[in-house]
Every structure is written in C-alpha cells, then in structure tokens.
Amino acid sequence: MTTPPEEPGEDHGTAARLLLGRVLGERAGEFTARVVPGDSGAADWFEVDADAGGVTLAGSSGVAVASALRWYLRTACRTQVTWDAPVPTLPERLPRTGTPARVASPYRHRYHFNVCTFGYTTAFWDWERWQRHIDWMALHGVTTPLAMTGAEAAWHRTLMNAGLDDEAARRFLGGPAWLPWNWLASAAGWGGPLPRSWIEDHAALGRRILDRERSLGMRPVLQGFSGHVPAELAAARGAAAKTLPWWDFEVTLLDPRDPLFEEFGTALLTEQTALFGTDHLYAADPFIETTPPADDPEGVARVARAVHGAMTAVDDRATWVLQAWPFSYLSDYWTPERTAAFLGAVPDDRMLVLDLWAEHRPVWRRTGGYRGKPWVWCALHSLGGRPGMYGRLDEVATGPAEAGADRDGGSLSGIGASMEAFGSDPVLYELLADVAWHGRVDNVPAWLGGWVEARYGRRTPGLVRAWELLHASVYAVEGPGPPGSVVVCRPTLRGDLRPGLPVHLATPASPTPPPGLAEAAALLAAEARDEDGAGPLGRDLCDVTAQLLTHAACAWQERAADAALARDAGAFDAAANALLTAVADLDAILATRPEYQLDDWLADARSWAGTPAEAALYEANARRILTVWGHGTSELHDYAGRHWAGLVRSFHLPRWRRWHERVAGALAAGSPFPAEEFEAELIAWEERWIATTGDPAPPREDAPAGATPDVARTLLARYRDNLG
C-alpha cells in the first residue's frame, strides 16, 4: 500500500459523494459534494449553499463536506445522524438555508478512539459496521482516528521473522478481545492463541478501513513500538529486559539500550508500513499503567528516545502520538522532573500528546502545557462501557476553548473523544462535534433545545423540560462517571454484604436518584407515542428508566444487606426479592431495544469463525471481557459490566439469586455467612457461564418484551414510590 497523497483531490470528492449516497439514499441526488484542495496546514473549512437547484456542500476535504451535510441536516432540516439513529428524516422540500459564512475549525486534529475501544466495542465488527462508523466519524468532523484493526498481522510477521514459530507468535498475541492490552504493553497471551484466519481476515479489514478513512481525508494513527516483546524472545536473544506487572498480568519490556529494541521496533514498523502504508502518526505507550523500571529522569528519557527512534528509523516524518494518562494515573511516580525529561527527549514537532481525560482530570495544567508540544483536549467519557447516563456537557462546551486561551494551554492543537467504549449518551458526541468546528458552545440549554428538535422531530415543552432536568442531573455530574450499578457487581458475603464496584476510577452506587431524574422519565414517557418506541425517544426513555431501576436495585440491596447483618430473615427475604425483581425488570426494559442485546454481541463474535473451535474461542472472549475480564479472582472482574438484555438475565440475575439463597440459608440455620465457600462457588459458576458457548441467552421467564414506551410506563408506575 502506498502512502496517501497529502492534498485532497478527486478521490476525496468521489468518497464524499459516495458517503452522501449511503447516508441519504435516493435523496442524495439533490445534493452536490465539492472538495476544494487547500494549502497544507490551512484550517479545515466547509460551507453550504442551498437554492432551487439543490444543496451544494463544499469543503477542504471529504470530512469537511460530510460535516457540511451534518450542519445542514440539523440546522436546516432539524434532523441528524447519530449512532442510534443513522438514517436522517428529510423534509419533502429541502430548505434553502446555507451557512452565513465559511465555517473553519480552530483545531488541526479532531481525534477519535481509545486503544481500549478496540476491545470493548469494535472487537468483532465487520466491514458493514465499520463503514457505518467511518461515515459517522466523517459527519462529525473526525480527522485523526486511531487505527488498530489488523495490527496483529504486522506483529505476527515480525515475531516469526525474529525467530518465534507460528504457534508461539499467535500465543503471545492472545485472543481478539485482549489485543488492545497487548498494544498497550499491559497484557499478553490472554484468551488465545489467535487463529491464523483471524490474522488474515483482519489484515484485509484493516486495509479496507484505512483506505476509506484516507479517501475522506483522514490521517489515521497507526501503531508504534514501545518495547513490549514475548519473554521467550527476549530470553532466546539474551536481551536485557524487565518484567513489569499490570493488575493480574505481567509483560516483558526491553531495555532501550539493548540492540533488540531498535531491531524489533524498526522491523515491526517496516512490516506495518508494507501492509498498511503510513500517515506518519504512531501511537505508543510504554508505561500506560505500569511503573517504569527507572528512578532517574535520564532513564525515562532514554525510553522516550528509543521509542521515537524506532519510528524515525523507518519514517523520518514520524510523529509520536502519546497518551498522557500515566502522568495522572501514576502521578506519584511522574514527578515534574521525570515528566519533563520524558517529554523533552522528543522534538516538539514530532510528538502529539493526548490529554485523555481533560473534561475531568486534565493533565495539561500540571505539565506546563506539555512543555509546548502540540496536544489534544480529549473527553474520556466512558470507562469500560459501564452502564449509566453520563457526560459533563458544560465542560465539553467550553473547556477546550478555555484551555487554549490559557497561558499553559496555548499549544492546544486539537479536540477529541477518547472513550474506552461507546454507544451511549449520543448527546455528548453531538455537542463535541459542534465544539470541534466552532470552538465552543456558550449556551448549552439553548443548544439542547435544538438537540431535542433534531432528535425527536419535534420540540414540545415537555421534551424540552425533560432535557433541562437531564442536563441538571446526569449531564452535570462532577465525578468520573455515572453512579455505579450494583446490578453488574459480583455479590459478596464478606464485610457488610455490599459488593464493591469494579476496580479503580469507580463512582459509588447510589440508592437515591439525582433530583429531577424521575420527573424527566415521566415527561419522556408522557410524550412518547407508539411510533416513537423504536426511535431515539424510545432509546432515551429506556436509558432513563434503566437508570432509575439501577438506583432502586441499589436501595433494595442495601436494605437486604442491613437486614441480613441484623439477622432479620423476614426483612432480608422481602428486600432481596425486591432486588431480584428490580434486576429482572431492568432486563425487561433493555429487551425492548436493539442497542442492548447480548445475543448480537455474541453473534458478531461467532461470525468471524471458520471452525467450531474458533467460534467457541471468539464467543468465550466476548463473554469474558464483559464479565470476569481476566482469571476468576482478577480484580478487574466486572470492569466492563453492561446493562444488556440477556447479559442481565443470564449472568447478573443468577448471581444475585445465588447470593439470596446463600444468605437466606445462613440466616435460617443461624450460621455465619460462608464467604470463601460462596466466592469459590460463584467463580466456578461464572467460568461455566463463559464456557457455555453456541447458545443464546435463555428466554425470559416473564411476559415477552413489548414496545419501549409501554414497558417503561408500566415500570415507572410500579416504582413510583421508590424513585423520589
């Protein structure tokens, strides 16, 4: 594959026109796409001209033209394209409304993805699903997407050329759901070995993804080399290396002074370039959540020079794209002296720093704006795809502009979304796209009024009021994420019988809904018509109802735990049964939505298989990553727990039933709670659930799922007294 041209040309225009066809269908003929090449480094721009002859969308790239379409759809047609509503509703006659002036983005880089996203969300996507998302990225102005699909092919070739046999190389790569943590130098060899057919199929898919992204004018970020190799390779070559722990895993990191570091790194990037070409952007994170094996600043500087040196040995225009996560996550280690040495080891114009969680825990302030290096303000938003409505809308609306205006933030070069998983809270990503093009949104309530109309096709006092309440509650949370869900937590008989949330960065579960959430749910339910059930209003009503049920479940679990500790068997049984009912009701509302189906996730995983053994491996990967994560006693268990129909019904609900039975039995017998015995039994049951591949989740035990509004109204009425 050759390196793509630097300037947009006819290929970009063709790609833009094809995108219009996919998004607009038969109405695409009423639109004209015009890509206007600009000077290298000039601001990306678009403009819209609408008259009796149709709508002309002009821009500096295919992405800019797609963004012009998004602007026209929402501003003129009061409709939009989101993850959960990919088909816009156009009026019979297109409005003759164009941009009053050319719209130019203040940001060179508009970044998208997190390495973890390729495990938590896109792991089993096929081309059709990728094509839809690439179109979505273009519509939302993304210029700089992380591109990890197929990277395993370059690794496989390089490992074999370095002396490993095929089986050892595939064993090191691990299973498809855990490939991202291999690229992050955090884990290796888990969930595999990776089948050869996967490697070949995903090399082809990766090329197809890159071709489409480049044809629209995007510059994808490919993989760099951070020093992570198989322990057996380092041993066979007598290479100097360190073993670094990460949670329940260990990885081998080469000493940057060892010749194998440069040899393997340049070989890997040479293979990658042969397979996928290059846009001169490379992601590498040698210490994303591990403590570097060096105490002195020069030691970490040496690593930085080696990582960038492997890039420039293959590509003299290489820019290292670095996640700033370690400077926050391991802030005790990353003192100002070590941070300055690490950043200072690479020229300013050859590094792009991602401030990964800038909307909550910005790093740019404590690093002096990354010592003048270009950096990207990112919204992390979703940790592991955990359930719950969340998004700091006000911070997203103005935070990037305020950072760029600050003396320390003046080298701000971009804005982005670095979510670990996605598919939730589309409102945040629509706002982020507007900020990416316009710099800031000063009046979020007014913006939400337009969001309501574009999302639902109408603006009513009830709908506007519902979003005012949501803005003031779940979309104004100061914490790192939504309230934790006790539903997806492994039950325990230890301590006070209240399960702890999945590891690090978790927000405690709350039995009390935020003020206004129940009222917002009632307003959405009152506004929802039968025809709204399958659309965005049904989706939002489902999300709000599920959030309220999560709080109710937490309240009943706390009451049950208190009753058990008081040895009050009757009160425990009543509260525990109420908890189980709330969890079952949660599955009932989720079952009405296509976005929340475990069976679809499992079917996507199995679809890549060529043999029954491969199907079992891929489905086990898909099951484990959302539940136990690693081995049975891993502290990472339930980190990526989801509120999905089928997953709640077949995994989370049975765990809580077992908890109920065990506690009730101990109370009836007057005996202590058998904590260790229960934990061992539960872990064994979880492993059996993961291994039960090939079958869908068991059918629901209660009434079949109905339309979202009907189920939501029933549940809201049932829980009215518990929701405040």
Side-chain angles (χ1 to χ4, degrees), residues 200 257 263 307 387 440 514 636:
E200 295 163 359
R257 294 166 292 193
E263 175 191 332
V307 170
R440 62 188 297 149
L636 290 166

Side-chain angles (χ1 to χ4, degrees), residues 81-342:
V81 174
T82 58
W83 291 332
D84 54 354
V87 180
T89 303
L90 294 178
E92 185 176 342
R93 297 183 61 183
L94 294 177
R96 299 182 185 181
T97 301
T99 50
R102 177 172 290 187
V103 177
S105 174
Y107 302 116
R108 178 184 179 190
H109 296 288
R110 301 186 294 278
Y111 181 81
H112 192 67
F113 285 127
N114 182 305
V115 179
C116 300
T117 322
F118 291 82
Y120 290 139
T121 299
T122 72
F124 305 110
W125 279 8
D126 59 11
W127 168 244
E128 181 180 355
R129 184 63 186 87
W130 264 111
Q131 177 172 247
R132 181 153 60 93
H133 193 70
I134 295 169
D135 287 347
W136 180 93
M137 287 195 295
L139 287 161
H140 291 75
V142 173
T143 60
T144 316
L146 185 62
M148 309 298 280
T149 305
E152 52 269 36
W155 272 90
H156 184 250
R157 291 186 184 184
T158 307
L159 289 167
M160 292 184 64
N161 289 338
L164 266 65
D165 61 30
D166 169 65
E167 182 180 353
R170 293 187 294 106
R171 187 171 59 247
F172 168 76
L173 292 171
W178 286 275
L179 288 172
W181 290 273
N182 203 319
W183 312 152
L184 285 170
S186 297
W190 185 254
L194 195 64
R196 286 191 65 95
S197 62
W198 176 279
I199 297 171
E200 295 163 359
D201 291 345
H202 281 75
L205 177 62
R207 284 192 290 269
R208 199 170 185 183
I209 291 167
L210 289 166
D211 285 345
R212 177 60 57 79
E213 290 175 345
R214 288 166 174 158
S215 75
L216 289 163
M218 300 179 191
R219 292 184 62 204
V221 180
L222 298 180
Q223 192 177 66
F225 177 65
S226 60
H228 180 212
V229 296
E232 58 194 293
L233 175 61
R237 299 289 292 272
K242 294 286 187 179
T243 299
L244 301 183
W246 180 78
W247 293 101
D248 312 297
F249 301 89
E250 290 183 341
V251 293
T252 299
L253 203 70
L254 291 170
D255 188 304
R257 294 166 292 193
D258 192 282
L260 185 57
F261 194 111
E262 182 177 0
E263 175 191 332
F264 192 91
T266 56
L268 175 64
L269 295 185
T270 299
E271 288 287 356
Q272 180 175 267
T273 304
L275 281 168
F276 302 120
T278 184
D279 296 85
H280 316 297
L281 299 171
Y282 303 93
D285 299 286
F287 310 116
I288 190 68
E289 287 185 354
T290 54
T291 302
D295 293 325
D296 61 309
E298 173 55 27
V300 294
R302 192 180 298 123
V303 174
R305 286 193 292 270
V307 170
H308 190 246
M311 299 174 187
T312 56
V314 177
D315 179 2
D316 59 9
R317 298 169 58 190
T319 294
W320 180 0
V321 180
L322 172 74
Q323 298 181 100
W325 184 255
F327 305 144
S328 174
Y329 184 78
L330 295 172
S331 57
D332 289 344
Y333 174 87
W334 286 102
T335 62
E337 293 77 18
R338 288 172 178 151
T339 303
F342 189 82

Side-chain angles (χ1 to χ4, degrees), residues 12-83:
H12 293 71
T14 300
R17 287 188 286 274
L18 291 172
L19 180 147
L20 296 185
R22 290 190 296 273
V23 174
L24 301 172
E26 62 184 16
R27 300 293 298 273
E30 300 174 57
F31 292 79
T32 300
R34 186 165 62 91
V35 174
V36 182
D39 296 332
S40 179
D44 220 5
W45 62 269
F46 71 77
E47 58 188 17
V48 178
D49 183 27
D51 56 27
V55 180
T56 299
L57 309 169
S60 51
S61 66
V63 167
V65 168
S67 296
L69 173 62
R70 174 180 174 272
W71 181 93
Y72 181 77
L73 290 176
R74 203 182 69 196
T75 303
C77 302
R78 309 301 185 193
T79 187
Q80 61 189 356
V81 174
T82 58
W83 291 332

